[in-house]
Amino acid sequence: MIDVVQVVPFQGPGGMQQVARILDEALPSLGVTSQVRALRASQGARPTLTDGARQWRGLVQLWRRQRPRAVVAHAPVTAVVSLTAAAVARVPHRVAVIHENARSLRPGPLRLLTVLARAGVVTRLVPVGPAVGASLVGLDPQVARHVTVIANGVPAADAAPAAAGLPPLRSDAMMTVITAGRLVPGKNLELLICAVAGSSQPVGLVVCGDGPDRARLETLSRELGVAVRFTGMLDQRSLQESYAGADLFAFSSCSEGLPLVLVEAAAAGLPVLASDIPGNRDVLGDSAVYLPVDDGAGAVRRWSEAIDRLARDSGSRDRMRRDALERLPAFSPGRMAEGYAALFRGPARVDQGAGVRGPSPARPPWLRRR
């Protein structure tokens, strides 16, 4: 018997898919059996309305047979589809995980999700960090009692060395800046490339990841004469090896929920330069240097100046990476799994008290015959 079914929008790489896999591996240690399902084979596979209806009915039938204790859906559209099916199948706990700040999500599905939470169809909304939770409550104050914040966990947080055991900083003449993520407009990598181009210090840039923006970013790098190496997608071992050869991690994304990559970079012993957005601060607090991303040429200049300053100041880099390591226990997979497991214990209900909340009547009000 499966206790928890996690549903992701599509198979393949991605932050929420990574979180689902990590949670799937961590829950059994708490006596919770888990399974991960994808609604689509790939990100580009879009089902027709008929296919979607057939899939929805299939989920209802499947969960009536399996009788899981909980369905956990990652992303709003996935949650609307799978959690309404879970309600019809009378799954007690119906959890929607929100990985992005509400302001960066599509408003239609997110608004429908909050309506379903108020109606009792969704029993819990789980933002992956405090900033995401605050954005949800800002969207609709009535959903506050449905919200439980559970920070994402990453195995790198458990494997991070003690601060005292960090290797010494490299002393090469050229400082290597590294970044990682999908090459899409929202990651704002053109700012980072321009900042490296404007640095007065000898700096090289390594970009780990792939995506539709790669050709444009490679062209920009050549035009600016920047020493940039695009690695493409890397497995976890290769990514860790790339971190080991770098001096500074830079992350210029415009919007994030709780970026796993910052946990991984900090666990690798890298000081971090990041965009000044709430999701990044949720991870690293005061242990990183934060800079604006919405000030055009002014932002590029400030990023260049910060890179120059850190290139000259190994003491600041060393202090930053040691401070970041102290924050990592909050992002362990075990702690994440314990947070989710707590949601599935006992009956699902909504009240004004503390603890696990979210209504689960025998038959949801919107399904009762008049």
Side-chain angles (χ1 to χ4, degrees):
M1 179 178 175
I2 299 297
D3 295 320
V4 178
V5 180
Q6 293 187 80
V7 186
V8 294
F10 54 88
Q11 296 176 0
M16 68 183 70
Q17 288 85 352
Q18 182 182 0
V19 169
R21 288 191 293 269
I22 293 169
L23 184 57
D24 183 58
E25 294 169 358
L27 282 172
S29 67
L30 302 175
V32 179
T33 58
S34 173
Q35 178 185 85
V36 178
R37 294 184 60 87
L39 291 184
R40 306 192 305 273
S42 65
Q43 187 172 10
R46 301 289 180 180
T48 66
L49 186 59
T50 301
D51 290 339
R54 186 182 299 112
Q55 183 181 50
W56 185 88
R57 289 194 299 270
L59 291 175
V60 173
Q61 294 167 0
L62 175 66
W63 290 332
R64 280 175 173 166
R65 292 194 307 271
Q66 286 186 336
R67 300 175 64 186
R69 188 153 175 72
V71 171
V72 177
H74 297 265
V77 174
T78 305
V80 170
V81 173
S82 59
L83 298 186
T84 53
V88 174
R90 300 188 183 184
V91 176
H93 298 273
R94 305 177 293 274
V95 180
V97 185
I98 311 299
H99 290 264
E100 293 184 61
N101 188 293
R103 289 181 292 275
S104 66
L105 292 167
R106 291 167 55 191
L110 185 58
R111 173 61 66 180
L112 179 56
L113 190 59
T114 60
V115 170
L116 292 176
R118 293 203 307 268
V121 177
V122 175
T123 60
R124 280 283 91 186
L125 294 167
V126 177
V128 298
V132 179
S135 73
L136 281 180
V137 174
L139 175 74
D140 187 342
Q142 294 185 53
V143 308
R145 66 191 180 126
H146 298 269
V147 170
T148 298
V149 176
I150 302 176
N152 287 340
V154 189
D158 288 336
L166 278 176
L169 291 169
R170 297 187 325 132
S171 58
D172 299 4
M174 174 178 282
M175 186 174 78
T176 299
V177 178
I178 192 168
T179 191
R182 291 197 69 229
L183 307 190
V184 294
K187 298 301 182 182
N188 203 23
L189 283 171
E190 61 270 19
L191 182 149
L192 183 56
I193 291 170
C194 290
V196 170
S199 172
S200 63
Q201 301 293 312
V203 177
L205 176 62
V206 177
V207 177
C208 303
D210 214 337
D213 255 15
R214 177 168 178 170
R216 183 177 67 85
L217 294 171
E218 288 178 331
T219 299
L220 176 64
S221 302
R222 288 193 297 269
E223 291 174 348
L224 295 176
V226 184
V228 182
R229 180 165 66 91
F230 290 84
T231 68
M233 289 296 297
L234 298 177
D235 59 32
Q236 204 59 36
R237 179 176 178 179
S238 299
L239 185 60
Q240 291 300 315
E241 291 173 352
S242 296
Y243 286 158
D247 303 285
L248 175 69
F249 187 87
F251 195 60
S252 52
S253 181
C254 294
S255 178
E256 292 291 332
L258 191 142
L260 303 180
V261 70
L262 291 189
V263 180
E264 294 171 344
L270 287 171
V272 174
L273 182 64
S275 48
D276 193 1
I277 56 177
N280 291 345
R281 287 185 176 270
D282 279 351
V283 177
L284 292 177
D286 295 331
S287 65
V289 172
Y290 300 101
L291 296 166
V293 292
D294 56 359
D295 188 25
V300 172
R301 183 179 66 255
R302 292 183 64 177
W303 280 73
S304 294
E305 291 170 351
I307 290 171
D308 287 345
R309 185 168 61 253
L310 290 172
R312 294 189 296 265
D313 189 353
S314 61
S316 291
R317 303 201 318 267
D318 203 13
R319 183 172 58 253
M320 288 165 60
R321 63 186 190 145
R322 292 178 186 276
D323 289 348
L325 281 175
E326 295 179 0
R327 297 183 60 85
L328 295 188
F331 306 105
S332 73
R335 181 168 294 190
M336 176 178 67
E338 288 170 1
Y340 280 93
L343 297 182
F344 313 141
R345 299 187 184 114
R349 69 188 190 278
V350 157
D351 54 39
Q352 298 302 326
V356 178
R357 301 183 292 266
S360 182
R363 192 165 177 81
W366 58 280
L367 282 176
R368 293 176 185 163
R369 295 186 183 274
R370 298 182 182 276

